[in-house]
Amino acid sequence: MKRTIAVLALLVSLCASVPAQDKDKTGKIKIEDGQNYLVLSTKRIQTMEKELDDVGARGFRVLYAAPTAQFDMALLLTRVRQEEGAEPYRYRVLATSRNKTMEKELNEAAREGYRLLPRTIVYKQGFLTAEMVMVMERAPGSNKSYEYKLVRATKETSLHRKIDEAGTQGFVPITMVIIGEHVIVTEKETEQKAGR
């Protein structure tokens, strides 16, 4: 019983220590005039995607991602110059504990014109969960398309061979994460899609 109470107290204190994002009365994130950088932090992927759509429409673009001490992820964004009425950058946040699922989701988003931002790969651990999180971006007016392959191995010699094999298929390593095994994300540009 004492152990259960201690665990519940720890959970409550962790939740209470998570800072709330400043928002105005409409629920939009507050951005000061002349503000060039913005940090977004959340546990929920759907919330992060909505917030990215909001700030992306106001001229911000993702630079980096990092895990936080509160089991969520944080993104650093910068303001970019946009012409009035220009299409904003769009984002897709992917999160899963399974490598095969991540590869499938990467390729589904890539077919829609999204490209992985290599500096956004985060291995996010919670009390009972652990998942890989990646952010993909679709640039305004882009008609490029990509394909992704996750190369995995626990031994480095096997990893070297697998990276070389992916290279013979046109894939280039763009980032890596270690989650019990080495996971190298490889990418290749595919044929441009018309009408995007």
Side-chain angles (χ1 to χ4, degrees):
M1 181 71 172
K2 288 181 183 179
R3 183 181 227 176
T4 303
I5 292 171
V7 169
L8 287 172
L10 179 61
L11 278 171
V12 169
S13 69
L14 284 172
C15 291
S17 67
V18 176
Q21 183 69 48
D22 289 339
K23 296 183 182 178
D24 66 18
K25 292 178 184 174
T26 66
K28 288 190 172 185
I29 295 169
K30 285 186 189 176
I31 299 173
E32 302 293 328
D33 290 341
Q35 181 177 341
N36 292 314
Y37 295 95
L38 178 67
V39 175
L40 297 179
S41 179
T42 185
K43 286 179 177 45
R44 294 176 49 103
I45 299 307
Q46 288 177 324
T47 302
M48 182 63 80
E49 282 191 345
K50 285 178 185 172
E51 290 179 352
L52 283 171
D53 283 344
D54 172 26
V55 299
R58 294 192 271 164
F60 282 85
R61 185 177 182 194
V62 173
L63 289 176
Y64 300 100
T68 71
Q70 287 87 22
F71 312 128
D72 56 355
M73 70 179 292
L75 294 175
L76 173 64
L77 296 92
T78 185
R79 192 185 294 269
V80 293
R81 292 178 188 241
Q82 281 185 302
E83 292 182 24
E84 189 71 31
E87 181 185 345
Y89 285 88
R90 297 280 182 199
Y91 293 94
R92 185 80 50 90
V93 182
L94 308 178
T96 181
S97 58
R98 299 185 50 154
N99 289 322
K100 285 188 185 252
T101 303
M102 179 59 77
E103 185 174 277
K104 178 178 178 260
E105 291 180 4
L106 276 168
N107 284 309
E108 286 172 357
R111 284 190 288 277
E112 295 175 27
Y114 288 87
R115 186 177 191 190
L116 177 66
L117 296 173
R119 296 180 289 189
T120 65
I121 187 170
V122 171
Y123 185 62
K124 190 168 78 83
Q125 287 189 287
F127 251 150
L128 302 172
T129 61
E131 58 188 1
M132 191 175 355
V133 182
M134 298 183 191
V135 178
M136 298 185 79
E137 175 184 80
R138 186 171 69 201
S142 174
N143 60 357
K144 293 186 178 179
S145 185
Y146 300 89
E147 186 178 344
Y148 294 92
K149 180 178 281 200
L150 298 185
V151 177
R152 305 174 303 276
T154 51
K155 293 186 178 179
E156 290 163 2
T157 51
S158 298
L159 188 66
H160 301 159
R161 181 178 45 77
K162 289 181 177 184
I163 294 170
D164 286 340
E165 286 172 6
T168 63
Q169 299 167 19
F171 289 92
V172 176
I174 58 168
T175 191
M176 73 178 278
V177 64
I178 298 173
I179 50 173
E181 64 180 347
H182 297 69
V183 179
I184 309 292
V185 181
T186 64
E187 172 191 80
K188 74 175 176 182
E189 189 172 331
T190 57
E191 289 184 27
Q192 293 185 353
K193 304 292 183 189
R196 185 174 297 136

